[in-house]
Amino acid sequence: QVQLVESGGGLVQPGGSLTLSCVASGSRGSINLMGWYRQFPGTERELVATITKDGSINYADSVKGRFAISRDNTKNTVALQMNSLPLPDTAVYFCKVGVREIVNVEGRYVDKDYWGKGTLVTVSR
């Protein structure tokens, strides 16, 4: 079972910055995608940014130019630098990884997503 541990959340003033980090452990396969999603109060979880093993990055339009995602494949970590956090922007941020797992000798595989428990980012005056 893959475990994801997020850290770095907390209270920040409008316009401030935070850096989130996530460490993945227990993976038996190749971690293809790592990313961050967030959930505002009363809404569904939504994409923030993802990065593939090869370094291809996808940002939500709402965070382009303000957030930066990066990963360390050796350490199985992914980070999210968040700048110019607006009000309102309080949300729970979730780390996600996508793992390709080989399930038989013929090479059949299954792509599985794993989620962290989330870390709260509170933007407040």
Side-chain angles (χ1 to χ4, degrees), residues 34-94:
M34 306 185 79
W36 292 92
Y37 293 70
R38 65 186 177 186
Q39 186 171 13
F40 293 104
T43 71
E44 298 295 323
R45 194 175 302 180
E46 65 184 42
L47 168 75
V48 176
T50 60
I51 180 169
T52 68
K53 189 175 182 179
D54 295 331
S56 180
I57 297 174
N58 182 39
Y59 292 107
D61 289 340
S62 60
V63 306
K64 287 182 179 178
R66 298 188 298 112
F67 289 13
I69 189 170
S70 61
R71 65 185 283 174
D72 187 328
N73 294 332
T74 301
K75 299 179 180 179
N76 286 331
T77 60
V78 60
L80 182 70
Q81 300 179 48
M82 304 185 295
N83 300 319
S84 301
L85 288 164
L87 183 67
D89 201 24
T90 298
V92 178
Y93 285 73
F94 298 89

